[in-house]
Amino acid sequence: MMARPAAGVRSKTLIITLPGSPKGAKENLLAVLKLLPHACLQAAGGNSRTLHAGGVEKLEKEAGLDSAAKSQHHHHDHGHSHGHHGHTVPKAHTNPGDSLISNDPRAGPTQRYRESPYPMLSVEEAVKLVIDYTPAPTPVQVPVNGSLVGHVLAEDVQAKEAVPAYRASIVDGYALNLHDIVEEGGIKKDPRKFLVASVSHASPSEAPAVQSGEVARITTGAPLPPSAVAVVMVEDTTITKASPDGQEEQEIEILTNDIKPCENVREIGSDIKAGETILRKGEQITAVGGELGLLASIGKPHVSVYKKPIIGVLSTGDEIIKHNRPGPLRPGEVRDCNRPTILAAVESWGFETTDLGIAADTPGALEETLRAAMRRVDFVITTGGVSMGELDLLKPTVERALGGTIHFGRVAMKPGKPTTFATVPFKRTEGGARETRLIFSLPGNPASAVTTLHLFVLPSLQLTSGLPRAEVGLPKVLVILNEELKCDARRVEFHRARVSMGKDGRLHAVSTGGQRSSRVGSFRGSNCLVRLPARKEVVGRGDEVEGYMMGVIGGL
Amino acid sequence: MMARPAAGVRSKTLIITLPGSPKGAKENLLAVLKLLPHACLQAAGGNSRTLHAGGVEKLEKEAGLDSAAKSQHHHHDHGHSHGHHGHTVPKAHTNPGDSLISNDPRAGPTQRYRESPYPMLSVEEAVKLVIDYTPAPTPVQVPVNGSLVGHVLAEDVQAKEAVPAYRASIVDGYALNLHDIVEEGGIKKDPRKFLVASVSHASPSEAPAVQSGEVARITTGAPLPPSAVAVVMVEDTTITKASPDGQEEQEIEILTNDIKPCENVREIGSDIKAGETILRKGEQITAVGGELGLLASIGKPHVSVYKKPIIGVLSTGDEIIKHNRPGPLRPGEVRDCNRPTILAAVESWGFETTDLGIAADTPGALEETLRAAMRRVDFVITTGGVSMGELDLLKPTVERALGGTIHFGRVAMKPGKPTTFATVPFKRTEGGARETRLIFSLPGNPASAVTTLHLFVLPSLQLTSGLPRAEVGLPKVLVILNEELKCDARRVEFHRARVSMGKDGRLHAVSTGGQRSSRVGSFRGSNCLVRLPARKEVVGRGDEVEGYMMGVIGGL
């Protein structure tokens, strides 16, 4: 009951926003007045699990309210002027959009909304709300190894060691003394024959100095002997005298006349200087390897990165069965393709997941499941139960049973209109720290679920993992449509397509066919959501539109 | 010794290719003659582990050859005309490229090549060899779940069930009888009031038929009651009469006049028809979700996909230490950044890996490590030890100790010139099936290792996992250079860059800076290898070049 007029809680302050009209403001205020003491307790940091132990019903009774009874009582009043008593809400109306109706799932259809009470937001508005309510990232120290991939750095990283740490040969060959090389390049001696005096391997060792007139045999990566300044490649030499046993070279001739000081030598710190900042806070460790390679090459044992959230995935609905339940379907049964699909996608983004199973369509079951889930995971993704039907319990459960706030419940998009996003206050233990759990309740239709997963959930997961705001979300590209596509007159459409590079250097999009929201096949082979504007006209073949890359681009 | 003139083994036939010149052909033939009986035994399927038990030394002795002794003997002959005895190879020459020299790692520098004996192949030639020698994919049955992601289908998949399996409402609303709807759309009755006779939930149930003049309340996804033909959305209705207890609606009025038969109804099989081929052999199960969703939605419990190989990653070199070994570096020590980087990249491609550690620079240690690795993994990726130095044991170990074939040992590219690719025959048990192990020996310099990993190893892993030939490798794109880049006159360069979408709809590349092959930092933030042609001129700012996408494209 508090959820609608309460705009939110900041620190310990409860913020209530009332309508602009005097009548509306009065009605709304009266409606929440009796619950204000309870709300203030909660805002002040009271344990919501204890406070809510008896459920909303108990709270409303304590406050002198009884939603089911009152709404029943008022049902017969519809059309009459609305009272100004503290107990006049929820009200039943057959004229939708006029005032508040109960979302108590126990109330009959006469008390339910006949039109969604949630304002229809644009995709941009909805994404902004998701971003605004995503918890700030938390740093954590982790060892430097492959499991770093996908993490974002929470610190600037300085090199404690130089790379290379010693002057190293970059070829197999012979190290030369400075006095045997002329400044302009070339070898002073003629004939250019040198005594092979020692060997320097690419392994820990202390080699003797190379004297003028001598060379030291050296392998790739080996430390230069003292007083050596350049290396001539083995390919540029011949052996002119072998040792008596024929195994070792005693003397070589250098065939080139073009050797300069420092040639074929990697100087200390020439790849990474000691003290240099090699990586910055906010950079992501990619699987390509550069960032991980940098951390490994300077011997950093641990690094501060942002914690990644754990994501639970739940399907809802009595009609939903496990996708692999043996035997034929009974009437009304639907196999659950959302859960395996979403789990796999979220894992491919590099997050740990928890399979929360299927929740039945009873308010108690859903509440139980969500409460248990919030103890195990940071984000809950649900599918189904967000339409207008009497069994669409997600929104009422979040608002009434969990004390959560629904930030949006409708988005002007196709597919994905009933997409719902909520935050729920949570304490792990009595008196524990106030935490927030995010609940993304995606539509049950598979194409809607996958589309909204990519558009709304991904940026939130990335942001809470430390990726800078400007970098979250699917990469936006401009693509050329290879066929004419029909638009929806009222809603922006995210048309599933396959995008690949064309010979003209442009990205080209081909539709994956039938786009009905129930048709998961529209994601077959799809790597891009092409954004079609809301308008009556088609988008023509050859026209440029925006796309959002979900997968790997098709090559030329 | 057989490795050079022997072009390969097909079935049980040993194929030997000799040089075109009569002198060369004779010399080569004489060189292998004594080993032919042994080679034939092996080609005929003899157990190579038993045959090779004594090592190459024993084989050469049995055949009347002694490479170290002979080459020593012949060393002093250089410059003289070469003999035509069966024991004249290996020979020592100070004039490189003239003839064969021993690659026995025990032979001294006087017997080693002074120039790589491996022909320099183009990148395309090298990739073709990798493709040609990659083992064909093997089908395997696996359960349908998230671990399917990245697998390629080994069968066409037919739907055994229709989706949906029953006529379902796509909205929350009221189901109508055919007789109450006119053909051209609209409701016949006026006023359009209907008795609410029953309820159909989206759960397994058998609902009573809807009579003319009545409606059945129905939720999204629920089966249509018998004789219902269309559904009117709840938003398009109002309640005109409630039940005596005020909880249920008894009568509704339909506010719209535009309802057609089948409206808001998903027909049986309208998403997937029973018997329809929903996925084809060769299609990859992506993490985006369409393919996995299709398999789950039709209840397929298992599916035939191609087995993915297991990849072992080994670093070589006495100078290499674990990246996280505590304490400062001793002279000549280098931290191993290749192994963690390669392991992470290969895992991100969806393959299982095995960390094979670091092998010391002794022939025995490397051979032992590789033999043990081949029992555990299908592919071995090594880094280091492929240059020309006396400690570069990889090639001799593969050819001499493991009886493998080096298909290429040099590629005209920058970085990555010494990249080496070999196949090694392998039997898991005595008398077991002949298998092949692939060894990719990448250069030790980190930027070279990561570049060649992406260009040579990835396509092979994908191909043996069943991806069609045309689809393997990094996606090729055309990019616009945002800065002038210098080319190498002799070698194609794979310049590390960051590619993102520009406002002009083109992909734009920015260099990651210093490109020295030892500088792993050149991969920091890089998602693309930009291919610069081998030429003296620069590639200008604004010019178009080819690129190979390693990572996610940067968004607009």
Side-chain angles (χ1 to χ4, degrees):
Chain A
M1 175 178 278
M2 292 298 298
R4 218 108 258 290
V9 174
R10 273 291 167 272
S11 297
K12 298 189 169 184
T13 307
L14 178 74
I15 302 163
I16 298 190
T17 309
L18 300 176
S21 78
K23 180 173 175 287
K26 192 174 175 187
E27 275 185 27
N28 269 269
L29 185 59
L30 286 170
V32 297
L33 208 53
K34 293 210 175 172
L35 276 170
L36 269 185
H38 168 74
C40 292
L41 276 179
Q42 248 198 293
N47 184 295
S48 57
R49 277 173 68 201
T50 320
L51 291 173
H52 287 166
V56 169
E57 197 174 2
K58 176 169 163 278
L59 291 175
E60 291 185 348
K61 228 169 232 154
E62 283 172 3
L65 296 168
D66 183 343
S67 63
K70 291 299 158 199
S71 61
Q72 203 173 311
H73 165 69
H74 280 265
H75 173 62
H76 302 285
D77 288 353
H78 62 78
H80 302 183
S81 76
H82 296 122
H84 37 75
H85 325 295
H87 56 285
T88 50
V89 287
K91 298 175 191 130
H93 294 264
T94 53
N95 185 19
D98 187 356
S99 185
L100 289 174
I101 304 187
S102 174
N103 68 352
D104 183 343
R106 294 160 307 145
T110 52
Q111 274 87 55
R112 283 199 309 271
Y113 300 107
R114 299 191 79 74
E115 186 170 86
S116 175
Y118 298 95
M120 180 87 91
L121 301 193
S122 71
V123 173
E124 289 68 29
E125 288 166 333
V127 169
K128 190 182 175 305
L129 283 170
V130 169
I131 297 292
D132 289 349
Y133 286 100
T134 295
T138 320
V140 60
Q141 282 276 329
V142 293
V144 170
N145 59 41
S147 63
L148 266 184
V149 168
H151 278 92
V152 176
L153 287 171
E155 61 170 339
D156 289 355
V157 179
Q158 273 88 30
K160 282 204 178 152
E161 295 171 357
V163 178
Y166 54 88
R167 301 185 71 209
S169 174
I170 64 169
V171 295
D172 295 315
Y174 298 91
L176 288 154
N177 183 292
L178 173 66
H179 295 101
D180 294 325
I181 305 178
V182 294
E183 275 303 318
E184 321 79 68
I187 304 293
K188 280 181 182 169
K189 288 193 133 190
D190 201 21
R192 298 172 298 255
K193 291 185 177 167
F194 291 84
L195 189 68
V196 181
S198 62
V199 175
S200 180
H201 283 171
S203 57
S205 65
E206 291 287 351
V210 176
Q211 306 303 325
S212 177
E214 295 178 358
V215 292
R217 200 166 82 221
I218 192 165
T219 54
T220 305
L224 252 67
S227 69
V229 292
V231 177
V232 56
M233 289 173 74
V234 64
E235 287 91 335
D236 293 334
T237 66
T238 56
I239 298 177
T240 46
K241 200 186 282 174
S243 60
D245 69 356
Q247 286 284 36
E248 299 282 333
E249 74 274 50
Q250 274 191 343
E251 188 192 75
I252 59 149
E253 181 173 351
I254 294 176
L255 305 173
T256 174
N257 199 25
D258 188 27
I259 294 173
K260 296 194 183 67
C262 301
E263 187 165 308
N264 293 331
V265 176
R266 280 168 73 207
E267 296 295 336
I268 292 171
S270 55
D271 289 328
I272 301 170
K273 282 183 193 47
E276 184 184 334
T277 298
I278 54 164
L279 291 165
R280 296 263 175 209
K281 186 173 165 172
E283 277 186 73
Q284 191 169 27
I285 315 291
T286 68
V288 171
E291 303 81 15
L292 185 58
L294 279 169
L295 292 171
S297 65
I298 58 154
K300 193 164 172 73
H302 294 84
V303 69
S304 177
V305 297
Y306 294 108
K307 221 167 107 181
K308 287 195 208 172
I310 299 171
I311 293 93
V313 181
L314 175 72
S315 293
T316 69
D318 289 337
E319 78 279 22
I320 304 297
I321 59 164
K322 280 181 78 169
H323 74 88
N324 55 359
R325 197 212 58 198
L329 295 173
R330 288 187 284 268
E333 285 185 336
V334 174
R335 295 194 185 270
D336 185 8
C337 72
N338 286 335
R339 207 156 30 102
T341 308
I342 292 173
L343 285 167
V346 172
E347 281 162 24
S348 82
W349 298 337
F351 297 98
E352 193 185 323
T353 61
T354 298
D355 185 343
L356 300 174
I358 302 169
D361 279 334
T362 64
L366 188 58
E367 179 186 341
E368 275 301 295
T369 305
L370 289 174
R371 281 199 192 280
M374 290 194 292
R375 275 190 278 276
R376 299 162 64 196
V377 303
D378 305 294
F379 281 59
V380 179
I381 302 172
T382 71
T383 55
V386 284
S387 294
M388 293 287 301
E390 61 231 70
L391 299 180
D392 292 326
L393 301 169
L394 207 287
K395 287 163 174 165
T397 301
V398 165
E399 288 190 325
R400 298 179 63 87
L402 303 178
T405 305
I406 290 182
H407 301 289
F408 60 83
R410 271 201 303 171
V411 186
M413 64 187 292
K414 186 180 172 183
K417 193 170 78 171
T419 304
T420 298
F421 168 61
T423 49
V424 177
F426 176 78
K427 283 185 181 176
R428 207 174 279 275
T429 52
E430 290 260 344
R434 244 165 151 13
E435 299 180 40
T436 300
R437 295 289 181 263
L438 272 63
I439 301 185
F440 289 89
S441 294
L442 312 180
N445 269 325
S448 316
V450 176
T451 301
T452 53
L453 177 76
H454 281 88
L455 293 176
F456 299 110
V457 185
L458 174 65
S460 183
L461 296 182
Q462 290 174 322
L463 193 70
T464 204
S465 308
L467 210 63
R469 166 85 194 252
E471 292 175 31
V472 303
L474 298 175
K476 184 161 134 183
V477 294
L478 297 172
V479 301
I480 303 289
L481 285 186
N482 275 15
E483 61 197 296
E484 183 180 286
L485 292 178
K486 215 168 154 271
C487 298
D488 185 280
R490 288 174 304 170
R491 287 184 283 160
V492 165
E493 182 174 348
F494 292 90
H495 194 107
R496 281 76 76 196
R498 170 137 195 93
V499 162
S500 42
M501 173 58 60
K503 283 180 184 160
D504 57 353
R506 295 296 307 259
L507 297 179
H508 290 259
V510 178
S511 168
T512 53
Q515 298 286 309
R516 195 157 67 166
S517 60
S518 56
R519 194 177 159 260
V520 70
S522 61
F523 272 98
R524 175 187 178 189
S526 169
N527 57 4
C528 186
L529 294 170
V530 162
R531 184 191 174 108
L532 301 178
R535 70 179 197 204
K536 281 189 180 156
E537 305 81 51
V538 299
V539 181
R541 185 181 162 167
D543 284 359
E544 181 181 277
V545 289
E546 286 176 4
Y548 297 86
M549 295 304 303
M550 297 179 290
V552 176
I553 215 168
L556 191 63
Chain B
M1 176 178 277
M2 293 298 297
R4 218 108 257 291
V9 175
R10 271 293 166 270
S11 295
K12 299 189 168 183
T13 305
L14 178 73
I15 302 163
I16 297 190
T17 308
L18 301 175
S21 77
K23 179 172 174 289
K26 192 175 173 187
E27 275 185 27
N28 269 270
L29 185 58
L30 286 169
V32 298
L33 207 55
K34 292 207 177 178
L35 277 171
L36 269 187
H38 168 74
C40 292
L41 275 178
Q42 250 198 291
N47 183 295
S48 58
R49 276 175 67 201
T50 318
L51 291 173
H52 287 166
V56 170
E57 196 173 4
K58 177 169 162 276
L59 291 174
E60 291 184 349
K61 227 170 230 153
E62 282 171 5
L65 297 168
D66 184 344
S67 62
K70 291 301 156 194
S71 60
Q72 203 171 311
H73 166 69
H74 279 266
H75 173 63
H76 301 287
D77 289 351
H78 63 78
H80 303 184
S81 77
H82 297 120
H84 37 73
H85 326 294
H87 57 282
T88 50
V89 287
K91 297 175 191 132
H93 294 263
T94 54
N95 185 19
D98 189 355
S99 184
L100 290 174
I101 303 186
S102 174
N103 67 352
D104 184 343
R106 293 160 308 147
T110 52
Q111 275 86 54
R112 283 199 310 271
Y113 301 108
R114 298 190 81 73
E115 185 169 88
S116 175
Y118 298 95
M120 181 86 92
L121 302 193
S122 71
V123 173
E124 288 67 29
E125 288 167 333
V127 168
K128 192 184 174 303
L129 282 170
V130 168
I131 296 292
D132 288 351
Y133 286 99
T134 294
T138 319
V140 60
Q141 283 277 327
V142 293
V144 170
N145 59 41
S147 64
L148 266 184
V149 167
H151 278 93
V152 176
L153 287 171
E155 61 169 339
D156 288 356
V157 178
Q158 274 87 30
K160 283 203 176 153
E161 295 171 356
V163 178
Y166 54 88
R167 301 184 72 209
S169 175
I170 64 169
V171 295
D172 295 316
Y174 298 92
L176 287 154
N177 183 291
L178 174 67
H179 295 101
D180 294 326
I181 305 178
V182 292
E183 275 303 319
E184 322 79 69
I187 304 292
K188 278 181 181 169
K189 287 193 134 189
D190 202 19
R192 298 172 297 257
K193 290 184 179 169
F194 291 85
L195 189 69
V196 181
S198 63
V199 175
S200 180
H201 283 170
S203 57
S205 65
E206 292 287 352
V210 177
Q211 307 303 324
S212 177
E214 296 178 359
V215 293
R217 199 166 83 222
I218 191 165
T219 55
T220 305
L224 252 67
S227 69
V229 292
V231 177
V232 56
M233 290 172 75
V234 63
E235 287 91 336
D236 293 333
T237 66
T238 56
I239 298 176
T240 45
K241 199 186 285 175
S243 59
D245 67 356
Q247 286 284 37
E248 300 282 333
E249 74 274 51
Q250 275 190 342
E251 189 191 74
I252 59 150
E253 181 173 351
I254 294 177
L255 305 174
T256 174
N257 198 24
D258 187 28
I259 294 173
K260 296 194 183 67
C262 302
E263 188 165 309
N264 293 331
V265 175
R266 280 168 72 207
E267 296 295 335
I268 291 171
S270 55
D271 289 328
I272 302 170
K273 281 183 193 46
E276 184 184 335
T277 298
I278 54 165
L279 291 165
R280 296 263 175 207
K281 186 172 164 172
E283 276 186 72
Q284 191 169 28
I285 315 292
T286 68
V288 172
E291 304 81 16
L292 184 58
L294 279 169
L295 291 171
S297 66
I298 58 156
K300 193 164 173 74
H302 294 84
V303 68
S304 176
V305 296
Y306 293 109
K307 222 167 108 181
K308 286 196 210 170
I310 299 170
I311 292 92
V313 180
L314 176 72
S315 293
T316 69
D318 289 337
E319 78 279 21
I320 305 297
I321 59 164
K322 281 181 77 169
H323 74 87
N324 53 1
R325 197 211 59 196
L329 294 174
R330 287 187 286 267
E333 284 185 336
V334 175
R335 296 194 185 269
D336 185 7
C337 72
N338 286 334
R339 207 156 30 101
T341 307
I342 292 174
L343 286 167
V346 173
E347 281 162 24
S348 82
W349 298 337
F351 297 98
E352 193 185 322
T353 62
T354 298
D355 186 343
L356 300 174
I358 302 169
D361 279 335
T362 64
L366 187 58
E367 178 186 342
E368 274 303 295
T369 305
L370 289 174
R371 280 198 194 281
M374 290 194 292
R375 276 189 279 276
R376 299 162 63 196
V377 303
D378 305 293
F379 282 58
V380 179
I381 301 172
T382 72
T383 56
V386 285
S387 295
M388 294 285 302
E390 60 231 70
L391 300 180
D392 291 327
L393 300 169
L394 206 286
K395 286 164 175 165
T397 300
V398 166
E399 287 189 327
R400 298 179 63 89
L402 303 178
T405 305
I406 291 181
H407 300 290
F408 60 81
R410 273 201 302 171
V411 185
M413 65 187 291
K414 187 180 172 184
K417 193 170 78 170
T419 305
T420 298
F421 168 61
T423 49
V424 177
F426 177 77
K427 283 184 179 175
R428 205 173 281 274
T429 52
E430 289 260 343
R434 245 165 152 13
E435 299 179 40
T436 300
R437 295 288 181 265
L438 271 63
I439 301 185
F440 289 88
S441 294
L442 312 180
N445 269 325
S448 315
V450 176
T451 301
T452 54
L453 177 77
H454 280 88
L455 292 177
F456 299 111
V457 185
L458 174 65
S460 182
L461 297 181
Q462 291 173 321
L463 193 70
T464 205
S465 308
L467 210 63
R469 167 85 193 251
E471 292 175 31
V472 303
L474 299 174
K476 185 162 134 183
V477 293
L478 298 173
V479 301
I480 303 289
L481 287 186
N482 274 15
E483 61 197 297
E484 183 181 285
L485 292 178
K486 214 168 156 272
C487 298
D488 185 279
R490 289 173 305 170
R491 287 183 284 160
V492 165
E493 182 174 348
F494 292 89
H495 194 107
R496 281 75 77 194
R498 169 136 196 94
V499 162
S500 43
M501 173 58 60
K503 283 181 184 158
D504 56 354
R506 295 296 308 260
L507 297 179
H508 290 259
V510 178
S511 168
T512 52
Q515 298 285 308
R516 195 157 67 165
S517 59
S518 56
R519 194 177 159 261
V520 70
S522 60
F523 272 97
R524 175 187 178 190
S526 169
N527 58 3
C528 186
L529 295 170
V530 162
R531 184 192 175 109
L532 301 178
R535 71 179 195 203
K536 282 188 181 158
E537 304 81 52
V538 299
V539 180
R541 185 182 163 168
D543 284 359
E544 181 182 277
V545 290
E546 287 176 3
Y548 297 86
M549 294 305 302
M550 296 178 291
V552 177
I553 215 169
L556 191 63

